[in-house]
Each structure stands twice: as C-alpha cells, then as structure tokens.
C-alpha cells in the first residue's frame, strides 16, 4: 500500500468508535490456504488474509470493515486442505 492511500479501518465490533456509518457496501472476504506447516504459519496467513480483505474493501471504496471475523475451513479427512478466511461488512463513514 502506498503512503498516498488511506488504510481501511478494521473492527470486530459493528461500529467504529466515534464515527458514523453512512453506507453499507457489502460483504468482503480474504482467504488463504494453510497447507503444510499449519500452526507455525497461522499469524502470517491471518495477516495476509486481512490484507486481501482490506484490498477488497478498498476496491469498493470503503473506509472501514466492521463485524470482522476469522474462520478456519478444512476439507473432510485432510489436514493439508485447510485454510483461514476473514470476512466483514465494508462501509463508508461520515
């Protein structure tokens, strides 16, 4: 992200303290496959999935993402086909 771009605010709450939501732009998602190595890479992969979510929100013109949640998914019977995804609601702020 360049210095000229404003960072999208991220919140697990359904609001940004001190700010008012002016428009809901929709659901945004960031996802990455865990692959081999599992837990040792979770922090890096979580950060990368958040970066993807932020990029998706920026494409919508969002100022923030509220209601941010993380989840893991895995293919039944396989430890090698799991991933992390994060999701939330992209919003414009007043």
């Amino acid at each position: 992200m360049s210095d000229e771009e404003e960072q999208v605010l991220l919140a697990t709450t359904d609001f940004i303290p001190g700010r008012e939501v002016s428009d809901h732009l929709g659901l945004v998602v960031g996802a990455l496959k865990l692959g081999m190595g599992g837990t040792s890479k979770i922090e890096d992969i979580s950060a990368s999935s958040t970066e993807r979510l932020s990029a998706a929100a920026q494409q919508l013109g969002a100022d923030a993402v509220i209601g941010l949640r993380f989840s893991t998914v895995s293919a039944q019977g396989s430890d090698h086909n799991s991933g992390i995804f994060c999701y939330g609601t992209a919003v414009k702020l007043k």
Side-chain angles (χ1 to χ4, degrees):
M1 180 181 310
S2 74
D3 293 335
E4 298 169 4
E5 295 179 56
E6 279 196 43
Q7 189 172 7
V8 173
L9 300 173
L10 304 176
T12 57
T13 56
D14 292 331
F15 60 92
I16 301 293
R19 304 289 301 269
E20 187 176 336
V21 172
S22 63
D23 195 14
H24 289 82
L25 303 176
L27 177 70
V28 287
V29 175
L32 281 172
K33 183 177 178 180
L34 281 174
M36 301 291 287
T39 57
S40 65
K41 296 168 55 175
I42 285 179
E43 286 184 12
D44 291 338
I45 292 172
S46 294
S48 294
S49 66
T50 304
E51 289 172 10
R52 287 183 179 201
L53 174 123
S54 293
Q58 284 180 334
Q59 287 181 342
L60 293 176
D63 299 315
V65 175
I66 58 174
L68 179 64
R69 301 290 184 263
F70 286 89
S71 186
T72 57
V73 293
S74 61
Q76 186 173 356
S78 174
D79 292 334
H80 304 294
N81 289 321
S82 58
I84 289 182
F85 73 99
C86 57
Y87 59 95
T89 303
V91 297
K92 291 292 285 180
L93 302 172
K94 287 186 181 181

